[in-house]
Amino acid sequence: MPDIINPNYVDQGELREQDQVPLSEYLAQSDRSDPSWQRGMPFFSGREAEISAFRRTVNGIALGRKANATMAVEGPPGAGKSALLCQFLEEMRELPPIGEPPRRWLPVFMDGASALCPDEIMLFVDKALSRRLAKDVLDSHLNQEQAKSKALINFLGGQHRIDAAKSLAREVLDRGGTAFGFGLQAKDQTPPASLAHVAGLRERVWSKWQIMLMIDEAQGITMHTPGAHPGTLSSIHQGTTPLNLTFCAFGLPGTLSALAKAGVSRTSEDRSIALRGLDGPNSTVVIERCFARYGVMDAEPWQAAILERSANWPQHLSAYLTKALAVMQAHAGIDEDLGAPPEDRLAEAIEAGDRSRSKYYNMRIQRLIQGSGSHMKCAKRIIPMLREANGDLPEDEINEALTSPPLGLNQDQAQAFLEAARHSGLLAPGDHATLRLAIPSFAGYILDEEPPPVGELAGGLEP
């Protein structure tokens, strides 16, 4: 069977449909991605390997593997997990139906803290199916009405709109929505009489769909939460009802470990992704794509300064880019064609980005020290060690430094610090039981290192 999607993703650096966001709308958005849009984020770039892994998963499902291996993506705060999740949703928008009879693709977004038991997860899927079916009814109704009159779309009030809403409501009730796998108020339907009946109805409804459960903050999945069931995710795959369901989990470093403790057995090495920062060329593509969209010209000093200050970290890149566009817009006074930005406003943009980055790091520090006031001392002890190693350092060596004088922590305290360091974005797991600095500039902030003056960026521009 041929692949339904090219498994080798290559970002060509060209503007795409997801980039077509008005500048005023883009500036009004926060820098955190919103998976509920179910669209890719504007100016996304730099995750070829991750998207190719997702495409291989899709092709595996198309071969008939109903319970494919769980895909897990973990990374520090600000590494772009939610943006990657949104891009996976974008990939799914154009996937053709698979199987015989054909199954349509359905992404279901949920928070890891809600994945407590099979019933809770299935309820999320049921609700997502209800919304999708209702949207199908709405789209069908609007298409029919559009053929008669465009006024249904354009008319904002009055009896016409009320009549259309009543007509649509009657149609939805006639066709029936689904919840818990059976119809609600549909014609000629009676409630199920037993759990077996519910399972059978759910299987029949779900069999028409290929469901991808997109779990954000998946480190929150734990068997220790009240009401949680050990083995929740795997039990759905291995239950008595065959389900066309695959999991894609996103979370902080340690997510894979959390999934294992919760009983997820269907993870695999080639579908376990550890997000790091972007590289220089991909950061450049992000800026070039954005500047092209908003008509920014002759902005090489701005681009160089943003690249230098953001240090290829996705959150910083987004923050500095947004601040730069806001300053350009204030000067140009127009939305879609900013032209050549004046160099004497660059310092203003960078300083605004610096303030945003400081707020971000202060939040990270609060996450680091909330378990113990001694965690800052621990961080300042191990950061120079990691820098000297110029890469990964065995976790045993870090643990020894934490438990030896002058810190002298016990093992529980040392492990509590390491967990806080991973969740705050200070440390990330490397290869073969090692740790590394997740965000190098965060380490510099903890050590009170000042960023270079604005005048030293972009070829020595004066502030």
Side-chain angles (χ1 to χ4, degrees):
M1 177 179 177
D3 293 337
I4 68 168
I5 186 172
N6 181 356
N8 300 312
Y9 172 77
V10 178
D11 183 0
Q12 303 292 346
E14 300 171 350
L15 287 172
R16 299 165 296 192
E17 183 181 351
Q18 68 195 61
D19 301 324
Q20 303 307 317
V21 180
L23 179 57
S24 57
E25 181 180 331
Y26 180 68
L27 294 178
Q29 298 166 3
S30 67
D31 62 5
R32 180 168 174 80
S33 307
D34 183 1
S36 67
W37 295 347
Q38 298 206 3
R39 287 301 309 261
M41 300 306 297
F43 319 120
F44 178 90
S45 182
R47 299 300 186 193
E48 282 87 352
E50 292 80 1
I51 294 176
S52 294
F54 177 77
R55 290 181 168 194
R56 290 194 298 271
T57 299
V58 167
N59 286 329
I61 294 171
L63 292 174
R65 303 171 187 170
K66 293 184 177 180
N68 233 269
T70 298
M71 190 171 185
V73 179
E74 57 181 25
K81 296 184 296 296
S82 295
L84 182 60
L85 191 160
C86 289
Q87 194 63 24
F88 286 175
L89 294 173
E90 183 71 21
E91 290 276 307
M92 295 184 67
R93 288 173 58 84
E94 303 301 326
L95 290 178
I98 60 172
E100 190 59 45
R103 303 192 304 276
R104 297 163 63 193
W105 294 82
L106 177 73
V108 178
F109 172 75
M110 70 181 301
D111 188 273
S114 301
L116 300 180
C117 62
D119 286 344
E120 188 76 13
I121 294 174
M122 290 181 179
L123 178 59
F124 265 84
V125 176
D126 287 331
K127 289 181 177 179
L129 274 172
S130 296
R131 289 191 295 269
R132 180 65 172 268
L133 292 172
K135 183 179 183 301
D136 288 348
V137 172
L138 176 63
D139 290 344
S140 172
H141 185 86
L142 290 179
N143 288 337
Q144 294 171 13
E145 290 296 322
Q146 279 181 304
K148 300 175 183 177
S149 172
K150 292 183 179 180
L152 178 65
I153 302 294
N154 299 325
F155 201 68
L156 299 179
Q159 191 61 40
H160 186 178
R161 183 177 179 86
I162 295 172
D163 291 344
K166 288 180 179 178
S167 174
L168 175 61
R170 285 193 299 270
E171 189 169 354
V172 170
L173 290 177
D174 286 346
R175 295 193 186 187
T178 64
F180 302 101
F182 58 92
L184 287 178
Q185 298 188 25
K187 291 181 178 178
D188 303 321
Q189 280 250 1
T190 57
S194 65
L195 289 178
H197 190 189
V198 171
L201 289 169
R202 175 176 274 136
E203 179 182 358
R204 188 166 69 242
V205 172
W206 284 26
S207 66
K208 301 174 183 178
W209 301 87
Q210 182 59 52
I211 301 162
M212 292 281 286
L213 190 64
M214 315 295 281
I215 308 175
D216 202 12
E217 304 294 344
Q219 74 277 355
I221 298 174
T222 170
M223 59 184 292
H224 301 297
T225 303
H229 291 196
T232 288
L233 300 183
S234 291
S235 69
I236 295 179
H237 276 157
Q238 300 163 3
T240 57
T241 303
L243 303 175
N244 305 316
L245 180 65
T246 300
F247 305 115
C248 195
F250 296 75
L252 295 172
T255 292
L256 273 174
S257 176
L259 292 175
K261 291 178 181 177
V264 177
S265 60
R266 293 181 179 270
T267 56
S268 64
E269 183 177 351
D270 65 337
R271 291 180 186 147
S272 299
I273 299 170
L275 285 188
R276 303 177 185 176
L278 301 174
D279 59 22
N282 281 305
S283 295
T284 301
V285 167
V286 172
I287 300 173
E288 290 178 344
R289 192 175 260 149
C290 183
F291 280 6
R293 169 66 182 89
Y294 299 124
V296 180
M297 300 180 296
D298 302 324
E300 289 79 8
W302 290 70
Q303 177 173 304
I306 293 170
L307 286 171
E308 177 72 20
R309 210 57 148 204
S310 62
N312 298 321
W313 193 248
Q315 192 276 343
H316 298 341
L317 185 60
S318 174
Y320 281 101
L321 189 55
T322 301
K323 299 301 182 185
L325 290 172
V327 170
M328 293 179 196
Q329 184 195 43
H331 175 82
I334 54 178
D335 274 351
E336 298 304 325
D337 188 3
L338 296 176
E343 292 185 0
D344 60 358
R345 305 294 293 271
L346 174 56
E348 178 186 348
I350 295 299
E351 288 166 359
D354 286 347
R355 291 191 293 272
S356 176
R357 187 174 72 168
S358 293
K359 291 179 181 178
Y360 171 78
Y361 281 156
N362 286 334
M363 289 190 296
R364 299 291 101 223
I365 286 175
Q366 291 304 312
R367 178 64 182 86
L368 175 66
I369 67 175
Q370 69 179 13
S372 172
S374 67
H375 285 180
M376 280 293 283
K377 294 181 180 178
C378 297
K380 292 180 178 181
R381 172 73 177 90
I382 67 168
I383 287 173
M385 295 174 53
L386 288 159
R387 283 180 168 178
E388 186 177 352
N390 196 28
D392 296 356
L393 197 63
E395 188 170 343
D396 289 345
E397 289 189 28
I398 297 176
N399 188 71
E400 182 178 353
L402 295 172
T403 55
S404 301
L407 294 175
L409 305 182
N410 61 41
Q411 285 295 335
D412 289 343
Q413 291 169 330
Q415 289 305 307
F417 165 74
L418 292 176
E419 181 178 358
R422 284 190 290 264
H423 285 186
S424 67
L426 176 61
L427 297 180
D431 300 324
H432 310 299
T434 61
L435 293 170
R436 62 165 60 100
L437 292 173
I439 318 173
S441 54
F442 183 28
Y445 190 83
I446 289 175
L447 297 181
D448 299 319
E449 297 173 352
E450 294 292 333
V454 176
E456 295 180 10
L457 298 174
L461 290 177
E462 292 299 324

